[in-house]
Amino acid sequence: MKAIKTYRYKLYRSKRNRHLDKAIDTAASIWNYCIAFHRRYYKLYGKHLSANKLKKHITKVKRTLHPEWQALGSQAIQDAVERVDRSYKAFFQHHKQKRRGRKSPPGFKKRRRYSSFTLKQAGYHFHNDRNTVTIMGRDYKYCKSRPMEGIIKTVTVKRNALGEFFLYVVCEIERNEVLPRAGKAAGYDFGLKHFLTADDGSTVDSPEWYKASLKELRQAHRTVSRCQKGSNNRKRALLHLNRVYQRIVNSRRDWFFKLANQIVSEYAVICIEDLNLEGMKRLWGRKVSDYAYAEFVGILEYVAASSGSTVVKIDRWAPSSKECHICGGRNDSLSLRDREWICPQCGAQLDRDINAAINIKNLGLAMLNA
């Protein structure tokens, strides 16, 4: 069975990385040119410009008006055009399906906010005997943290806010089909009081990395606001601010992987709830963003898929909190303030989160066996 796997490697700091920095800035210029040309074409003809027509136009432009674009490579230029086309198609699809939430058309990007370019069949070469890669004629060393397997499909060079460069290598590999393993099942309820509540009553509390670093973030933001725009002090202050944010992201992600591996090692079937995260953010804001439920669920599904465990998502509208897991009686008057309640039919005293976790487990197992 063929599968897609992405490898992430960090490039060593070097003076020659400035060439990659310049290449990303060139890709940003191509993006902005395509956006401006799209708007001009729509104003004249009243219709969308196809990717093929835009590619032909960009090929002429790089030979005449902007010969400096040729240093980036034709593959990366075509990928920048395809990114613009995908963004416009996503915008039109959003409005066609009348989805909720604002979806604005693609706009111009500052160079410092444009972060990557992608090479497909050409423009790169990995040297297997050493940790070196040749990108557009220049050699760069990278931290080869693990061996690469499979056929390389794309190589993306990405720059983060700290000026560090990473390689994202997408490979097609042959993977043996992982059969679902037998074992125990568990249901987990996401909450605001506890990050996770299991059906056996155990809880997992989030370290809340953003909240823990809030004082340092406020001080870093204050330092940036007091510096004069364009000064070297402001650049150093911005680097420090981005470094704090990067530490929060890395710490949270590391904790997510450790928690996901712990859960997957104990249970073969993991039942969770599909949450309306956008609605939760509007109600509780920063705490929901700090918990980062969506990122954890993605990591949990990834870890479970590679080990044979199964993640089952129940419907978000299922009455997991309002329904008694003993007799099935419903308490429609239950509010978010009620942490414990008594079933109106059987009289059982129930903990809100534990009862929800048990219902999530029962509904997930029913879906799995259906």
Side-chain angles (χ1 to χ4, degrees), residues 6 49 68 196:
T6 303
L49 179 64
E68 69 276 7
L196 286 178

Side-chain angles (χ1 to χ4, degrees), residues 160-176:
N160 65 7
L162 297 176
E164 300 169 334
F165 290 89
F166 295 87
L167 292 177
Y168 290 83
V169 186
V170 178
C171 298
E172 186 181 65
I173 62 173
E174 290 288 342
R175 176 181 291 174
N176 296 327

Side-chain angles (χ1 to χ4, degrees), residues 80-195:
V81 175
E82 290 171 359
R83 290 184 187 186
V84 175
D85 185 65
R86 286 195 300 267
S87 299
Y88 269 104
K89 285 181 178 179
F91 167 70
F92 293 137
Q93 191 72 13
H94 180 88
H95 282 271
K96 184 178 179 180
Q97 296 180 357
K98 297 181 179 179
R99 298 178 191 168
R100 295 185 63 184
R102 182 181 176 183
K103 177 69 176 179
S104 56
F108 299 108
K109 291 185 179 180
K110 294 181 179 180
R111 289 187 174 186
R112 60 185 177 86
R113 293 192 177 275
Y114 198 90
S115 59
S116 66
F117 67 88
T118 300
L119 301 170
K120 295 180 181 178
Q121 291 88 2
Y124 60 88
H125 175 68
F126 286 90
H127 304 276
N128 296 326
D129 56 336
R130 57 188 189 276
N131 58 334
T132 307
V133 57
T134 302
I135 301 175
M136 294 184 294
R138 292 184 174 87
D139 293 340
Y140 300 91
K141 283 192 174 183
Y142 65 96
C143 182
K144 196 172 183 179
S145 54
R146 52 179 173 166
M148 200 182 306
E149 300 175 356
I151 303 172
I152 299 175
K153 292 297 182 180
T154 62
V155 174
T156 300
V157 179
K158 191 169 185 179
R159 172 184 64 191
N160 65 7
L162 297 176
E164 300 169 334
F165 290 89
F166 295 87
L167 292 177
Y168 290 83
V169 186
V170 178
C171 298
E172 186 181 65
I173 62 173
E174 290 288 342
R175 176 181 291 174
N176 296 327
E177 187 176 358
V178 181
L179 298 176
R181 65 187 179 94
K184 298 185 295 182
Y188 285 96
D189 176 57
F190 293 104
L192 293 176
K193 184 177 180 182
H194 301 290
F195 181 75

Side-chain angles (χ1 to χ4, degrees), residues 287-330:
K287 188 164 188 177
V288 177
S289 299
D290 196 4
Y291 276 179
Y293 291 123
E295 183 181 359
F296 172 71
V297 171
I299 291 174
L300 180 65
E301 290 176 335
Y302 169 78
V303 174
S306 59
S307 63
S309 295
T310 305
V311 177
V312 184
K313 288 184 180 180
I314 71 165
D315 185 25
R316 67 177 59 174
W317 304 111
S320 57
S321 298
K322 297 183 178 181
E323 188 174 284
C324 176
H325 71 275
I326 299 174
C327 67
R330 291 188 59 171

Side-chain angles (χ1 to χ4, degrees), residues 33 54 105 161 195:
Y33 182 91
L54 189 56
F195 181 75

Side-chain angles (χ1 to χ4, degrees), residues 2-288:
K2 291 185 177 180
I4 299 296
K5 188 171 184 179
T6 303
Y7 296 91
R8 179 175 179 261
Y9 302 107
K10 184 177 180 180
L11 290 177
Y12 287 172
R13 285 188 176 274
S14 173
K15 289 183 178 179
R16 66 179 58 188
N17 288 356
R18 69 182 185 275
H19 299 293
L20 298 177
D21 203 49
K22 186 178 179 180
I24 294 176
D25 291 344
T26 302
S29 300
I30 296 171
W31 168 280
N32 291 330
Y33 182 91
C34 292
I35 294 296
F37 193 75
H38 253 283
R39 295 181 178 181
R40 197 180 312 123
Y41 187 88
Y42 185 81
K43 185 179 290 186
L44 291 174
Y45 302 103
K47 58 183 180 180
H48 172 66
L49 179 64
S50 67
N52 290 331
K53 289 183 179 180
L54 189 56
K55 285 180 182 179
K56 291 179 181 179
H57 175 73
I58 293 296
T59 302
K60 295 177 182 178
V61 170
K62 75 176 183 179
R63 293 173 181 171
T64 55
L65 296 177
H66 296 282
E68 69 276 7
W69 289 358
Q70 298 185 26
L72 180 60
S74 59
Q75 299 255 321
I77 293 174
Q78 289 180 7
D79 178 74
V81 175
E82 290 171 359
R83 290 184 187 186
V84 175
D85 185 65
R86 286 195 300 267
S87 299
Y88 269 104
K89 285 181 178 179
F91 167 70
F92 293 137
Q93 191 72 13
H94 180 88
H95 282 271
K96 184 178 179 180
Q97 296 180 357
K98 297 181 179 179
R99 298 178 191 168
R100 295 185 63 184
R102 182 181 176 183
K103 177 69 176 179
S104 56
F108 299 108
K109 291 185 179 180
K110 294 181 179 180
R111 289 187 174 186
R112 60 185 177 86
R113 293 192 177 275
Y114 198 90
S115 59
S116 66
F117 67 88
T118 300
L119 301 170
K120 295 180 181 178
Q121 291 88 2
Y124 60 88
H125 175 68
F126 286 90
H127 304 276
N128 296 326
D129 56 336
R130 57 188 189 276
N131 58 334
T132 307
V133 57
T134 302
I135 301 175
M136 294 184 294
R138 292 184 174 87
D139 293 340
Y140 300 91
K141 283 192 174 183
Y142 65 96
C143 182
K144 196 172 183 179
S145 54
R146 52 179 173 166
M148 200 182 306
E149 300 175 356
I151 303 172
I152 299 175
K153 292 297 182 180
T154 62
V155 174
T156 300
V157 179
K158 191 169 185 179
R159 172 184 64 191
N160 65 7
L162 297 176
E164 300 169 334
F165 290 89
F166 295 87
L167 292 177
Y168 290 83
V169 186
V170 178
C171 298
E172 186 181 65
I173 62 173
E174 290 288 342
R175 176 181 291 174
N176 296 327
E177 187 176 358
V178 181
L179 298 176
R181 65 187 179 94
K184 298 185 295 182
Y188 285 96
D189 176 57
F190 293 104
L192 293 176
K193 184 177 180 182
H194 301 290
F195 181 75
L196 286 178
T197 301
D199 60 289
D200 60 358
S202 60
T203 59
V204 177
D205 292 323
S206 171
E208 297 187 42
W209 304 102
Y210 184 86
K211 183 180 178 180
S213 305
L214 197 57
K215 184 177 179 180
E216 187 177 5
L217 279 172
R218 284 172 175 167
Q219 185 176 359
H221 275 286
R222 194 178 300 118
T223 304
V224 172
S225 65
R226 289 174 177 173
C227 293
Q228 185 179 358
K229 289 186 177 181
S231 64
N232 289 328
N233 285 335
R234 185 180 176 87
K235 292 178 182 178
R236 282 192 289 269
L238 282 172
L239 277 177
H240 174 67
L241 177 63
N242 291 326
R243 198 172 290 114
V244 176
Y245 274 115
Q246 194 67 42
R247 187 178 70 242
I248 294 172
V249 171
N250 292 340
S251 301
R252 184 191 291 127
R253 187 173 177 82
D254 177 69
W255 184 73
F256 280 166
F257 266 102
K258 290 177 180 177
L259 178 60
N261 279 289
Q262 179 185 346
I263 292 174
V264 168
S265 65
E266 294 179 7
Y267 300 104
V269 179
I270 304 157
C271 305
I272 58 176
E273 191 175 10
D274 182 22
L275 297 174
N276 181 12
L277 295 178
E278 293 301 323
M280 293 176 66
K281 286 179 183 178
R282 284 194 292 268
L283 287 175
W284 298 289
R286 189 177 69 197
K287 188 164 188 177
V288 177

